[in-house]
Amino acid sequence: MTNQEIIAKLPYSKPFLFVDEIVQIDENGVEGTYVFDDSLYFYNGHFKDNPITPGVILTEVMAQIGLVCLGIFLLNDSFNQRSSIALTSTEMEFLKPVFPNEKVIVISEKIYFRFGKLKCKVKMINEREEVVCMGTIAGMIV
């Protein structure tokens, strides 16, 4: 399965698709990117006159790239239209703000994938190679 095929299988669409590119993926992890366009709806009221990306959105980006893309890759052909990956837990530490028009890189390392549950160690870095946030994220294949 190609990286574009994985992105096409994601159960999201704009404006809630937060994956631009999968840079690398294998059975142990994934690396992908996303650019936060300044026209995204959540910037309109999140810290007026100085918008920053909400932590819940940063978590969603890490979930889409670091958990769902990896889960689709691991399931390969058994992931279909009726399949989905439901978030079950997160533990995040937010270290730096992400501003409109910033590109971020998500790096996810598989901790385990068994009995339909995928758990990963994830981190997000900015283009200056600073860690923006990091933690663990888990989900169930349903």
Side-chain angles (χ1 to χ4, degrees):
M1 179 180 319
T2 69
N3 295 352
Q4 285 302 336
E5 289 172 325
I6 293 169
I7 292 171
K9 285 189 172 193
L10 288 168
Y12 318 105
S13 62
K14 297 233 180 249
F16 211 75
L17 174 64
F18 299 116
V19 181
D20 287 335
E21 175 187 23
I22 297 172
V23 176
Q24 178 277 327
I25 193 165
D26 62 30
E27 66 277 353
N28 296 309
V30 60
E31 180 177 327
T33 66
Y34 182 71
V35 176
F36 287 96
D37 187 275
D38 63 2
S39 67
L40 289 165
Y41 64 93
F42 48 78
Y43 288 128
N44 288 333
H46 198 249
F47 295 98
K48 63 182 180 179
D49 300 326
N50 188 26
I52 63 168
T53 309
V56 68
I57 299 295
L58 298 178
T59 301
E60 181 65 26
V61 173
M62 289 191 289
Q64 287 188 20
I65 294 172
L67 192 74
V68 182
C69 286
L70 183 58
I72 291 169
F73 175 83
L74 293 172
L75 289 169
N76 201 348
D77 291 334
S78 61
F79 190 90
N80 57 47
Q81 294 283 11
R82 295 183 311 234
S83 302
S84 96
I85 301 174
L87 188 65
T88 59
S89 67
T90 63
E91 184 178 325
M92 292 295 149
E93 184 175 355
F94 300 97
L95 306 168
K96 295 205 174 281
V98 174
F99 299 102
N101 297 315
E102 274 198 80
K103 179 179 182 177
V104 295
I105 301 154
V106 174
I107 301 165
S108 175
E109 298 173 28
K110 179 181 72 179
I111 297 171
Y112 64 79
F113 179 50
R114 61 178 174 260
F115 306 115
K117 186 168 185 176
L118 176 60
K119 185 172 185 177
C120 299
K121 176 181 165 187
V122 292
K123 73 177 174 181
M124 178 182 286
I125 60 175
N126 60 24
E127 290 184 291
R128 294 175 299 285
E129 297 185 7
E130 301 167 318
V131 177
V132 171
C133 50
M134 59 188 197
T136 58
I137 194 162
M140 293 290 293
I141 312 302
V142 291

